[in-house]
Amino acid sequence: MQDTNTPGFANNKGRGERRNSAGGRRDSRPRRDGSSWDDRRNDRRYDRREQEFDENRIEGRNAVIEAFRAGRTIEKLFLLEGPAEGAMQTVLRLAKEKNTPVRFLSRLRLDQMSQTGKHQGVIAQAAAFHYSEIEDLFAKAAEKGEDPFFVLLDQIEDPHNLGAIIRTANLAGAHGVIIPKDRAAGLTATAAKASAGALHYTPVVKVTNLGRTMEELKKRGLWFVCADMDGTPMTKLSMTGPIGLVIGAEGSGVSRLVREKCDMTASIPMKGEIDSLNASVAAGVLMYEIVRQRDLSLSGQK
């Protein structure tokens, strides 16, 4: 089992299953509206996420179809569960062509998400910014005359963390950020706000498979280091040259398949009583260690 105590990621130890006030296991029987307690808990978490991209929400079958046809990037698509007919089939076909993640929900859930009350069984989350291509990151490095320095995020689902990491990446001189299509926050309005304007200057690339992308980047000279509490202390690693820094999700850390693509793992020295950092803070610490080592390398020091 993968250690959840990864540096930069919250420690989940000690979290038992949720219980009711009588000390017994929470009832999972359906409630009056057909949802279970677990469904309600998941919905509350989802409600918080939904509120963060209201400005880029598109509702209604024709509106979503036109958004696809106009080339707008749709992060996620929420459809009414059940057989798809007519315009719904068109929506599904366009989503498949664009590799857009689709989630099927009940009418009650869509009604709760809807801002207009006229969603017609279709709600889309559009990206607040356009995504870049891998070539844009290499072009930015070449323009500055520097070795490529990319930040790769594995399953970072909090848009605040994503925005904060993009902000730090810009300040640390990274040439871009790479995120996966699935199980990850996208360029929502919340992420854009948290980036404090950095999204205007730091390209973000969305890829279908992070591991496969890393293999392709290795062929172009990059090597990869990921954050892990059992790794080598970051100050004892040589992190110069073309590099990709991989940051994993809080709690689970970097996934096994992505970790296996990394050339080394780096840990952050912990001097206090607790042993974890927020993902965006850990990313910042590691980014600036790379900056420090690059500066020393350029000055000829060891």
Side-chain angles (χ1 to χ4, degrees), residues 245-258:
L245 171 63
V246 184
I247 301 295
E250 294 189 28
S252 58
V254 177
S255 62
R256 179 183 60 82
L257 293 177
V258 171

Side-chain angles (χ1 to χ4, degrees), residues 1 68 122 126 131 183 267 276:
M1 179 180 294
F68 271 120
V122 182
Y131 289 96
R183 296 185 64 190
S267 63
S276 64

Side-chain angles (χ1 to χ4, degrees), residues 21-59:
S21 58
R25 195 171 179 179
R26 174 165 281 183
D27 192 351
S28 61
R29 291 176 297 179
R31 305 189 70 189
R32 289 183 179 178
D33 62 2
S35 65
S36 69
W37 281 102
D38 287 338
D39 289 336
R40 285 297 182 86
R41 191 166 64 251
N42 290 335
D43 282 350
R44 285 196 296 273
R45 287 198 295 265
Y46 220 82
D47 285 339
R48 290 194 292 271
R49 290 202 294 269
E50 294 307 319
Q51 293 169 4
E52 293 164 349
F53 53 76
D54 286 355
E55 296 175 15
N56 296 285
R57 183 177 298 169
I58 305 170
E59 299 184 19

Side-chain angles (χ1 to χ4, degrees), residues 34-282:
S35 65
S36 69
W37 281 102
D38 287 338
D39 289 336
R40 285 297 182 86
R41 191 166 64 251
N42 290 335
D43 282 350
R44 285 196 296 273
R45 287 198 295 265
Y46 220 82
D47 285 339
R48 290 194 292 271
R49 290 202 294 269
E50 294 307 319
Q51 293 169 4
E52 293 164 349
F53 53 76
D54 286 355
E55 296 175 15
N56 296 285
R57 183 177 298 169
I58 305 170
E59 299 184 19
R61 299 173 185 178
N62 290 333
V64 172
I65 288 172
E66 291 306 316
F68 271 120
R69 289 175 174 170
R72 190 162 185 190
T73 300
I74 304 299
E75 296 277 9
K76 295 177 183 177
L77 186 63
F78 304 94
L79 299 181
L80 178 65
E81 56 190 7
E85 300 177 353
M88 291 287 276
Q89 289 182 327
T90 303
V91 173
L92 275 173
R93 176 177 56 80
L94 291 170
K96 185 176 181 180
E97 291 175 0
K98 300 294 184 179
N99 292 318
T100 302
V102 178
R103 180 172 177 181
F104 294 92
L105 301 175
S106 67
R107 182 169 296 279
L108 172 64
R109 187 67 189 96
L110 288 173
D111 288 343
Q112 291 171 340
M113 291 172 57
S114 177
Q115 298 177 124
T116 66
K118 301 177 181 179
H119 55 75
Q120 299 177 307
V122 182
I123 299 178
Q125 174 193 347
F129 279 76
H130 289 295
Y131 289 96
S132 300
E133 303 292 334
I134 291 290
E135 292 304 324
D136 296 324
L137 276 61
F138 280 102
K140 194 171 184 69
E143 180 184 344
K144 292 185 175 182
E146 300 170 344
D147 287 327
F149 174 17
F150 304 159
V151 179
L152 294 82
L153 306 181
D154 184 26
Q155 303 178 110
I156 298 292
E157 299 188 65
D158 185 344
H160 294 91
N161 269 340
L162 173 61
I165 291 171
I166 293 171
R167 179 179 185 177
T168 305
N170 175 267
L171 292 170
H175 303 114
V177 175
I178 300 174
I179 63 176
K181 176 173 69 73
D182 297 323
R183 296 185 64 190
L187 298 185
T188 64
T190 298
K193 183 176 181 181
S195 78
L199 268 175
H200 292 288
Y201 308 101
T202 302
V204 177
V205 178
K206 177 181 278 191
V207 299
T208 301
N209 187 298
L210 199 60
R212 189 177 304 128
T213 298
M214 292 170 67
E215 291 177 352
E216 294 170 357
L217 291 175
K218 282 187 176 185
K219 295 176 182 177
R220 301 184 65 170
L222 269 77
W223 59 277
F224 295 91
V225 57
C226 70
D228 186 273
M229 72 166 297
D230 294 323
T232 304
M234 63 182 190
T235 54
K236 296 184 179 180
L237 292 174
S238 175
M239 296 191 290
T240 56
I243 189 171
L245 171 63
V246 184
I247 301 295
E250 294 189 28
S252 58
V254 177
S255 62
R256 179 183 60 82
L257 293 177
V258 171
R259 183 198 301 262
E260 290 174 352
K261 305 292 182 184
C262 294
D263 300 286
M264 60 182 69
T265 57
S267 63
I268 299 173
M270 301 288 178
K271 304 296 185 181
E273 285 70 37
I274 60 174
D275 58 1
S276 64
L277 292 171
N278 171 273
S280 61
V281 174

